[in-house]
Amino acid sequence: MAVVDVTPLRQVPGFRWLYFGFFFVQGGRQLTVVAVPFQVFDLTGSTLAVGLLGLAQLVPLLVLSLLGGAMADAIDRRKILVWSPLVLALTSAGLMWNALADQPLIWPLFVLSAVNAGISAIDSPARQAMVPGLVGRDLLPSALALNQTLTNTAKAGFPALGGLLIATTGLPVTYGIETVCFLIGALLMRGIPSVKVGGGGRRLEMSSIIEGFRYLKGVRIIQAAMLLDLSAMVFGMPTALFPAMGTETFGGDAFTVGLLYAAPGLGALIAALTSGWVSSVIYQGRAVILAVMGWGIAIAVFGFSGSLTLGLVMLALAGAADVISAIFRGTIIQLRTPDELRGRVSSMHMAVVAGGPRLGDLEAGVVAAVTSVRFSVVSGGLACVLSALVIGRWAPDFLHYRSDQQAAA
C-alpha cells in the first residue's frame, strides 16, 4: 500500500478532532511564516534583520518548551491544546493592528513573533505526547504519517496563499485570516477527550524538568535523532533568505517568495501522501540519516540554481526527504520514551525541531551578509550532509537501529 494509512482517522474520534483542529492552527502559523519575514524585509531591506527575527523567537521557544513539556506531563493536555490557539489569535490580531498603521513599527514584529514562538513551544509537546495515548502503539507510525500529511498540506498551501494575499490584498487582511484560523483551531480542539498521563502524571516543578534531561542523557539513540534534525535545520534551512532570493535572485514579488516557502511543504506533502510503505522499513535509523543527507544535497543544488523552476523542484525534494526523516525520528523518540516522560522528551524534541530553523535563519542571514546569498545556501546544504555522516559515526546504535527493537524496548 503506497498511500498514507488513514486508519487512525477512521477508528479514533479523538484523533480526528486533534487532526483537524491542528490543521487550522498550522495554517495560521504558515501564514505568519511568510507575512512577518516579508514585512521585516520590506521595511528594512536587510537579510540580517530577517535572520535576527529567528533569534528573537529562539529564546522564548527554548525556555518555554521546557515548561511546556513539564506542563504536558502534569496537567490535562487537552486544556493546553484549547487555550494555546486563543493566545496565538491575540498575537495575530496585534500584527494586524500594527500593519494597519500608516508607518508600521518594527519592534511589534519581533515581540509578537517571539510570543507566538513561545506559545507554540507550550502547545507542541502536549500535542505530540497525546497522540500515542489516543491511537496506541500499533497505529502510531500511521498517525505520525497523517500528521506529516496535515502539516505539509498546510506548509504547501498556506505560504503560497499568504504570498498571494499579501500581493493582492495586503498584510492586514493576511494577518486577519491568521486570526480566524487560530480561533477555528481552538474551537475544534474542544472535541478532544482527556487522556490520563501514563504513570499518574508528574507534579509541575523544576525537578520534573531535570528528570526529563536525565532520561535523555542516558539514551543516545534519542540524542542522535534530535542532533540529526538540529544539524539539518541549522545548516540547511535558508528560509531567512527566501525574501531576498524571491525578489532579487529570481526577480519576483511577494507571490514568488510565497512559492519558495511553499515548495518544501508541497514535496513533503507528496511524500507523506505516499508514505504507506513506512511501516515496512526495518532500519529506521539508517533511513533518517539517508533522508537528512538527501535534504542537504537538495538544498545545495537549490543554492546553485539560476532558475526559479529548478529551485522550486529542489526545495520540494528537500521537503520530501524531511518528511521521511520526521516520520521515523518521531516514531523512534515516542516509542523509546515512557508515557510519563513523553511530554518532557517531546518538549526537548520540539525545541530542536522549532529552534533549529530559528538558528538556521540566523546562520543563513549572517553568512549571507558576510559573503553572498548563494554561498550561504550552498555551504549550508553541504554542511548538513557532512554532519549527518559524523552523527552516524558517533552513534552506531542509531545507524543500525531496527523497528523491531521498539517492541523489545
Side-chain angles (χ1 to χ4, degrees):
M1 181 179 180
V3 296
V4 65
D5 182 7
V6 298
T7 302
L9 287 175
R10 289 191 291 103
Q11 295 186 356
V12 187
F15 181 72
R16 284 200 298 270
W17 287 110
L18 175 64
Y19 189 81
F20 292 110
F22 182 60
F23 174 77
F24 283 95
V25 174
Q26 183 70 358
R29 287 174 178 165
Q30 293 307 312
L31 290 176
T32 308
V33 162
V34 176
V36 173
F38 180 85
Q39 189 174 17
V40 169
F41 186 73
D42 184 58
L43 293 173
T44 65
S46 169
T47 57
L48 180 59
V50 181
L52 290 175
L53 184 65
L55 181 61
Q57 297 169 354
L58 179 63
V59 175
L61 191 153
L62 293 178
V63 173
L64 293 180
S65 66
L66 300 178
L67 175 62
M71 290 174 61
D73 286 339
I75 64 178
D76 189 345
R77 292 164 179 168
R78 174 183 174 274
K79 293 180 179 178
I80 299 174
L81 296 175
V82 171
W83 281 100
S84 294
L86 295 176
V87 180
L88 292 174
L90 291 176
T91 65
S92 294
L95 290 168
M96 179 177 65
W97 183 266
N98 181 60
L100 286 169
D102 293 335
Q103 294 183 332
L105 301 174
I106 291 291
W107 68 263
L109 299 174
F110 282 80
V111 172
L112 293 173
S113 293
V115 174
N116 187 299
I119 296 302
S120 298
I122 294 176
D123 164 88
S124 292
R127 176 175 50 81
Q128 294 176 24
M130 177 168 269
V131 173
L134 285 174
V135 304
R137 173 183 293 272
D138 292 341
L139 292 178
L140 182 59
S142 297
L144 294 180
L146 281 168
N147 281 344
Q148 286 297 321
T149 303
L150 178 154
T151 297
N152 291 294
T153 298
K155 287 183 177 181
F158 281 90
L161 174 63
L164 181 62
L165 287 171
I166 295 169
T168 57
T169 63
L171 285 162
V173 172
T174 305
Y175 289 131
I177 293 175
E178 286 178 30
T179 305
V180 173
C181 285
F182 289 133
L183 293 175
I184 294 175
L187 181 63
L188 292 174
M189 294 287 189
R190 288 173 56 86
I192 303 172
S194 296
V195 178
K196 291 184 178 180
V197 178
R202 183 74 160 80
R203 292 182 60 185
L204 182 58
E205 55 191 8
M206 181 58 68
S207 61
S208 174
I209 298 174
I210 295 173
E211 184 181 9
F213 277 107
R214 285 175 178 167
Y215 176 78
L216 179 62
K217 182 180 178 181
V219 188
R220 181 169 286 196
I221 288 175
I222 297 180
Q223 295 173 26
M226 294 185 182
L227 285 173
L228 281 162
D229 184 66
L230 183 63
S231 66
M233 297 300 99
V234 170
F235 297 120
M237 178 62 87
T239 52
L241 306 179
F242 285 176
M245 295 190 74
T247 57
E248 297 176 0
T249 304
F250 297 119
D253 55 12
F255 183 59
T256 306
V257 175
L259 289 178
L260 293 179
Y261 279 102
L266 178 60
L269 173 60
I270 294 172
L273 287 173
T274 56
S275 63
W277 54 270
V278 297
S279 60
S280 64
V281 173
I282 296 177
Y283 288 98
Q284 295 180 340
R286 192 172 300 171
V288 173
I289 291 176
L290 291 174
V292 170
M293 292 175 65
W295 164 278
I297 292 170
I299 291 297
V301 177
F302 165 69
F304 278 117
S305 173
S307 161
L308 176 61
T309 301
L310 177 59
L312 293 175
V313 170
M314 288 299 104
L315 288 176
L317 289 175
D322 182 54
V323 80
I324 300 304
S325 168
I327 290 171
F328 290 125
R329 279 187 291 104
T331 301
I332 292 169
I333 291 171
Q334 291 295 334
L335 292 184
R336 286 302 299 260
T337 304
D339 186 60
E340 62 269 22
L341 284 162
R342 278 193 182 122
R344 282 160 285 176
V345 173
S346 293
S347 72
M348 291 179 245
H349 186 208
M350 186 270 167
V352 170
V353 170
R358 272 73 178 188
L359 287 173
D361 285 344
L362 180 62
E363 182 270 342
V366 170
V367 174
V370 174
T371 58
S372 69
V373 170
R374 287 191 183 279
F375 181 84
S376 178
V377 177
V378 173
S379 62
L382 296 178
C384 175
V385 174
L386 179 61
S387 65
L389 294 173
V390 171
I391 294 170
R393 182 67 180 269
W394 171 75
D397 288 347
F398 182 85
L399 179 64
H400 300 294
Y401 182 82
R402 296 168 57 96
S403 58
D404 51 13
Q405 291 179 241
Q406 295 165 356

